[in-house]
Amino acid sequence: MTVTISVRYEGGLRCTARHGPSDTALTTDAPVDNQGRGESFSPTDLVATAFATCTMTIMGIVAERDGLPVTGIAAEVEKHMAADPRRIAALPLTLRVSGPLDEAQRSALETAARGCPVCHSLSPDIRCEIRFEYDG
Protein backbone atom coordinates (compact mmCIF):
# COMPACT_ATOMS: atom_id res chain seq x y z
CA MET A 1 0.00 0.00 0.00
CA THR A 2 1.26 3.45 -0.88
CA VAL A 3 0.25 6.63 0.94
CA THR A 4 1.18 10.07 -0.32
CA ILE A 5 1.89 12.83 2.17
CA SER A 6 2.40 16.31 0.69
CA VAL A 7 4.61 18.71 2.62
CA ARG A 8 5.08 22.44 2.21
CA TYR A 9 7.76 24.57 3.85
CA GLU A 10 5.99 27.60 5.33
CA GLY A 11 9.08 29.55 6.34
CA GLY A 12 10.36 30.22 9.84
CA LEU A 13 11.39 26.55 10.21
CA ARG A 14 7.76 25.44 9.99
CA CYS A 15 6.23 22.86 7.63
CA THR A 16 2.69 21.73 6.94
CA ALA A 17 2.08 18.12 5.98
CA ARG A 18 -1.16 16.89 4.42
CA HIS A 19 -2.18 13.23 4.57
CA GLY A 20 -3.41 12.28 1.09
CA PRO A 21 -6.09 9.72 1.98
CA SER A 22 -7.79 11.80 4.68
CA ASP A 23 -6.72 15.36 3.82
CA THR A 24 -5.76 15.83 7.47
CA ALA A 25 -3.01 18.40 8.06
CA LEU A 26 -0.37 18.77 10.72
CA THR A 27 2.29 21.37 11.34
CA THR A 28 5.86 20.88 12.47
CA ASP A 29 8.15 23.45 14.02
CA ALA A 30 11.85 23.26 14.79
CA PRO A 31 12.54 22.80 18.51
CA VAL A 32 13.79 25.68 20.61
CA ASP A 33 17.18 23.99 21.05
CA ASN A 34 17.59 23.93 17.25
CA GLN A 35 16.71 27.52 16.27
CA GLY A 36 12.93 27.02 16.24
CA ARG A 37 10.01 28.29 18.26
CA GLY A 38 8.95 24.86 19.53
CA GLU A 39 5.29 25.71 18.93
CA SER A 40 4.40 22.30 17.51
CA PHE A 41 5.80 18.81 17.14
CA SER A 42 9.28 18.77 15.67
CA PRO A 43 10.07 16.19 12.98
CA THR A 44 11.93 14.07 15.54
CA ASP A 45 8.99 14.43 17.95
CA LEU A 46 6.87 12.84 15.23
CA VAL A 47 9.25 9.87 15.12
CA ALA A 48 8.77 9.37 18.86
CA THR A 49 5.02 9.81 18.46
CA ALA A 50 4.96 7.33 15.60
CA PHE A 51 6.78 4.75 17.74
CA ALA A 52 4.31 5.13 20.63
CA THR A 53 1.15 5.20 18.54
CA CYS A 54 2.27 2.35 16.30
CA THR A 55 3.07 0.17 19.31
CA MET A 56 -0.32 0.91 20.85
CA THR A 57 -2.12 0.27 17.55
CA ILE A 58 -0.43 -3.11 17.10
CA MET A 59 -1.37 -4.03 20.67
CA GLY A 60 -4.94 -2.89 19.99
CA ILE A 61 -5.13 -5.08 16.89
CA VAL A 62 -4.07 -8.14 18.91
CA ALA A 63 -6.40 -7.26 21.80
CA GLU A 64 -9.41 -6.88 19.49
CA ARG A 65 -8.55 -9.92 17.36
CA ASP A 66 -8.06 -12.19 20.38
CA GLY A 67 -10.82 -10.70 22.54
CA LEU A 68 -8.39 -9.70 25.30
CA PRO A 69 -9.98 -7.82 28.20
CA VAL A 70 -7.96 -4.63 27.69
CA THR A 71 -9.87 -1.65 29.05
CA GLY A 72 -7.23 0.91 28.15
CA ILE A 73 -3.68 1.52 27.00
CA ALA A 74 -1.77 4.71 27.74
CA ALA A 75 1.77 5.57 26.78
CA GLU A 76 4.54 8.00 27.53
CA VAL A 77 7.56 8.21 25.26
CA GLU A 78 10.70 10.26 25.81
CA LYS A 79 12.91 11.42 22.99
CA HIS A 80 16.59 11.53 23.86
CA MET A 81 18.80 13.35 21.37
CA ALA A 82 22.51 12.88 20.70
CA ALA A 83 24.59 15.93 19.81
CA ASP A 84 27.20 14.91 17.23
CA PRO A 85 25.72 14.16 14.85
CA ARG A 86 22.36 15.53 15.98
CA ARG A 87 20.03 12.53 15.93
CA ILE A 88 17.59 10.55 18.04
CA ALA A 89 19.59 8.35 20.41
CA ALA A 90 16.85 6.62 22.40
CA LEU A 91 13.08 6.36 22.64
CA PRO A 92 12.16 4.90 26.03
CA LEU A 93 8.46 4.05 25.97
CA THR A 94 6.29 3.18 28.96
CA LEU A 95 3.02 1.44 28.19
CA ARG A 96 0.32 1.28 30.88
CA VAL A 97 -2.21 -1.43 30.16
CA SER A 98 -5.49 -1.72 32.08
CA GLY A 99 -7.62 -4.83 32.28
CA PRO A 100 -7.70 -8.21 33.99
CA LEU A 101 -5.00 -9.89 31.88
CA ASP A 102 -3.30 -13.18 32.70
CA GLU A 103 0.37 -13.89 31.93
CA ALA A 104 -0.34 -15.43 28.50
CA GLN A 105 -2.43 -12.41 27.47
CA ARG A 106 0.25 -10.01 28.70
CA SER A 107 2.86 -11.96 26.78
CA ALA A 108 0.80 -11.75 23.58
CA LEU A 109 0.51 -7.98 23.94
CA GLU A 110 4.21 -7.57 24.68
CA THR A 111 5.17 -9.67 21.67
CA ALA A 112 2.90 -7.54 19.50
CA ALA A 113 4.39 -4.32 20.87
CA ARG A 114 7.93 -5.50 20.17
CA GLY A 115 6.90 -6.12 16.55
CA CYS A 116 6.21 -2.42 15.98
CA PRO A 117 6.99 -1.63 12.31
CA VAL A 118 8.09 1.90 13.17
CA CYS A 119 10.74 0.66 15.59
CA HIS A 120 11.91 -1.95 13.10
CA SER A 121 12.17 0.76 10.42
CA LEU A 122 14.51 2.92 12.49
CA SER A 123 18.27 2.70 12.62
CA PRO A 124 19.52 0.07 15.06
CA ASP A 125 21.51 2.94 16.62
CA ILE A 126 18.22 4.23 18.08
CA ARG A 127 17.35 2.37 21.26
CA CYS A 128 13.61 1.62 21.22
CA GLU A 129 13.08 0.62 24.83
CA ILE A 130 9.67 -0.62 25.98
CA ARG A 131 8.54 -0.96 29.58
CA PHE A 132 5.14 -2.41 30.47
CA GLU A 133 3.02 -1.55 33.50
CA TYR A 134 -0.20 -3.40 34.20
CA ASP A 135 -3.23 -2.26 36.16
CA GLY A 136 -5.96 -4.75 36.70
Side-chain angles (χ1 to χ4, degrees):
M1 176 180 185
T2 301
V3 173
T4 300
I5 299 165
S6 303
V7 183
R8 178 182 172 98
Y9 181 70
E10 305 292 347
L13 309 181
R14 182 169 287 209
C15 295
T16 300
R18 189 161 300 280
H19 180 248
S22 68
D23 203 36
T24 301
L26 66 83
T27 301
T28 65
D29 194 15
V32 172
D33 69 346
N34 198 27
Q35 304 175 39
R37 294 185 303 243
E39 294 175 348
S40 188
F41 288 93
S42 74
T44 54
D45 291 343
L46 292 177
V47 172
T49 303
F51 173 45
T53 59
C54 181
T55 301
M56 295 171 72
T57 300
I58 297 299
M59 292 172 69
I61 289 169
V62 169
E64 289 184 17
R65 179 193 69 205
D66 296 348
L68 303 182
V70 173
T71 58
I73 305 172
E76 185 171 290
V77 63
E78 296 176 6
K79 179 189 72 174
H80 296 262
M81 297 293 289
D84 189 25
R86 186 172 173 86
R87 65 177 186 83
I88 300 170
L91 296 170
L93 171 65
T94 301
L95 293 162
R96 293 176 191 87
V97 184
S98 298
L101 299 162
D102 63 31
E103 285 304 313
Q105 293 167 326
R106 290 178 181 189
S107 179
L109 290 173
E110 291 178 19
T111 298
R114 289 191 175 95
C116 167
V118 169
C119 180
H120 289 287
S121 298
L122 298 174
S123 166
D125 294 337
I126 299 174
R127 295 183 316 277
C128 296
E129 306 160 355
I130 304 175
R131 188 178 75 167
F132 299 90
E133 296 176 356
Y134 291 96
D135 176 30

